Amino acid sequence: MYRITLIPGDGIGPDITAATKMVLAASGVKIEWDEQVAGEEAIAGHGTPLPAEVIASIRKNGVALKGPLTTPVGTGFRSVNVALRKELDLYANLRPARTYPGVSSRFENVDLVVVRENTEDLYAGVEHMVGEDAAESIKIITRRGSERICRYAFEYARKNNRRKVTAVHKANIMKCTDGLFLAVAQDVARNYPDIEFEDRIVDNMCMQLVQKPELYDVLVAPNLYGDIISDLCAGLVGGLGFAPGANIGTAAAVFEPVHGSAPKYAGQDKANPTAMILSGVLMLRHLEEREAADRIEQALAAVIREGKTVTFDLGGMASGRQMAEAVVERMLRL
Ligand code: NAI
């Protein structure tokens, strides 16, 4: 029995969370949910979108599944997602992108995983004005930060039967910062002779990804390039509706869809639960529950391929719940 923190989230969050819980329950993996409130409801009840109990629960359980949270505009609350990443030192952002037949996209056979460094680079937020007419931002890359993300990428590749890791950088121009990242990636690669290693300059990487994405497998990148490339990869496979994500640290891991809370569909059970279900699949793989994870993914892929019981964005009429029920029914037949 796993005890896992569950944050249903705002907007469509509760609907896609209910659908995901149903599918996870049918996988046979025993989960006791420790449900926590964050986001808009927490602001109303606790005066903060991220109450201390939520952080404490994730720290204690080590794993959380999270729906999207609405970031209030203009209220001074910083993004809950950024705060969670900082508080729990969730240094690795994992974003798989793969094509599912039935989802319209320009490619078939894309199966990529972007491993993005989550704590340093230009996102360290060290920037200031220099007088009135110039601004400066400091790009921070450390050996420790680079080493742990590269190690994570190779370990992920090994555990998930991936054949190749590609490091993404711009070391030809930023010889110190990206040069350090690349040198560390090359060092780490020497410890994984079973995994092929190569590197690409980020601009060339973008061109190659839109021309022949099937040549790539696991990509590891510093924060900014990782951010951009992971959205590019989501675009290759049909958009954010199919993009699960994970933020992983040494003490905790938080799994969540990449999309937001889509407030206009709140409470209508219309939203596509796919990205949230796939985030649950990533979570099961993290827990080494591979057989259950594979079964859910196969059943979901079959339901999408058939295109009968799918949500409006896939051209169907089903509610999120009906789509989840179809996935459960399909799992029983696998
Ligand atoms: P969004 O992802 O909520 O919506 C973008 C578009 O995608 C909309 O047209 C929406 O209807 C559609 N969409 C998103 N998820 C869908 C789903 N599962 N099924 C069907 N259609 C779906 O992005 P937006 O509008 O920029 O942000 C809304 C709120 O979400 C904001 O408050 C933002 O801060 C928050 N947000 C939270 C995230 C998180 O908690 N991880 C991530 C991104 C945004």
Side-chain angles (χ1 to χ4, degrees), residues 25 50 55 80 93-94 97 126 129 139 173 190 208 225 233-234 247 253 258:
L50 187 61
I55 301 266
V80 173
N93 181 217
L94 188 67
V126 187
M129 296 300 297
K139 174 167 160 125
I173 304 292
R190 283 188 200 102
Q208 302 241 341
Y225 311 143
C233 291
N247 289 293
V258 171

Side-chain angles (χ1 to χ4, degrees), residues 216-228:
Y216 295 93
D217 194 346
V218 176
L219 310 175
V220 63
N223 211 335
L224 177 61
Y225 311 143
D227 190 5
I228 297 168

Side-chain angles (χ1 to χ4, degrees), residues 193-262:
D194 48 321
I195 313 274
E196 196 186 325
F197 173 72
E198 63 182 11
D199 68 275
R200 290 279 180 278
I201 293 173
V202 62
D203 37 353
N204 181 28
M205 182 81 252
C206 290
M207 189 188 72
Q208 302 241 341
L209 281 172
V210 297
Q211 285 195 323
K212 24 190 178 181
E214 68 283 357
L215 293 187
Y216 295 93
D217 194 346
V218 176
L219 310 175
V220 63
N223 211 335
L224 177 61
Y225 311 143
D227 190 5
I228 297 168
I229 282 177
S230 52
D231 269 32
L232 188 156
C233 291
L236 293 176
V237 300
L240 294 182
F242 303 88
N247 289 293
I248 295 175
T250 37
V254 179
F255 297 83
E256 61 178 340
V258 171
H259 64 69
S261 56

Side-chain angles (χ1 to χ4, degrees), residues 42-54:
I43 296 175
H46 297 76
T48 164
L50 187 61
E53 300 91 89
V54 179

Side-chain angles (χ1 to χ4, degrees), residues 6 40 49 55 76-77 84 106 109 130 199 201 216 218 256 286 326 334:
L6 182 69
E40 287 178 321
I55 301 266
F77 287 116
L84 264 180
R106 287 171 188 271
N109 304 327
V130 181
D199 68 275
I201 293 173
Y216 295 93
V218 176
E256 61 178 340
H286 177 79
L334 283 175

Side-chain angles (χ1 to χ4, degrees), residues 9-248:
D10 297 319
I12 58 172
D15 289 343
I16 59 175
T17 298
T20 303
K21 271 171 84 173
M22 189 198 301
V23 171
L24 287 170
S27 78
V29 176
K30 296 268 174 279
I31 298 174
E32 185 194 339
W33 297 107
D34 175 6
E35 197 159 324
Q36 296 287 329
V37 176
E40 287 178 321
E41 204 184 321
I43 296 175
H46 297 76
T48 164
L50 187 61
E53 300 91 89
V54 179
I55 301 266
S57 159
I58 301 175
R59 255 191 235 289
K60 190 163 112 234
N61 297 323
V63 178
L65 183 63
K66 169 183 166 299
L69 299 173
T70 300
T71 298
V73 179
T75 55
F77 287 116
R78 60 181 180 158
S79 154
V80 173
N81 299 308
V82 174
L84 264 180
R85 236 173 268 165
K86 286 215 157 129
E87 285 283 338
L88 298 165
D89 192 25
L90 304 174
Y91 67 88
N93 181 217
L94 188 67
R95 294 261 305 258
R98 62 168 284 202
T99 37
Y100 291 95
V103 178
S104 89
S105 67
R106 287 171 188 271
F107 294 96
E108 290 163 20
N109 304 327
V110 175
D111 188 2
L112 295 159
V113 179
V114 180
V115 178
R116 165 189 170 192
E117 203 288 325
N118 228 358
T119 62
E120 11 184 85
D121 199 352
L122 287 161
Y123 289 65
V126 187
E127 57 171 13
H128 52 253
M129 296 300 297
V130 181
E132 281 186 7
D133 300 319
E136 191 171 71
S137 181
I138 296 176
K139 174 167 160 125
I140 296 169
I141 300 282
T142 67
R143 186 176 296 283
R144 173 178 174 265
S146 304
E147 199 174 298
R148 66 180 181 172
I149 197 69
C150 290
R151 242 178 231 297
Y152 182 84
F154 277 96
E155 286 294 326
Y156 180 89
R158 194 177 262 173
K159 273 197 196 142
N160 292 280
N161 297 320
R162 299 268 172 176
R163 66 197 151 80
K164 181 165 80 173
V165 172
T166 306
V168 185
H169 63 87
K170 186 84 184 172
N172 52 331
I173 304 292
M174 283 164 275
K175 294 186 192 317
C176 279
T177 47
D178 283 15
L180 176 60
F181 180 82
L182 176 59
V184 170
Q186 287 164 336
D187 275 353
V188 171
R190 283 188 200 102
N191 299 311
Y192 297 85
D194 48 321
I195 313 274
E196 196 186 325
F197 173 72
E198 63 182 11
D199 68 275
R200 290 279 180 278
I201 293 173
V202 62
D203 37 353
N204 181 28
M205 182 81 252
C206 290
M207 189 188 72
Q208 302 241 341
L209 281 172
V210 297
Q211 285 195 323
K212 24 190 178 181
E214 68 283 357
L215 293 187
Y216 295 93
D217 194 346
V218 176
L219 310 175
V220 63
N223 211 335
L224 177 61
Y225 311 143
D227 190 5
I228 297 168
I229 282 177
S230 52
D231 269 32
L232 188 156
C233 291
L236 293 176
V237 300
L240 294 182
F242 303 88
N247 289 293
I248 295 175

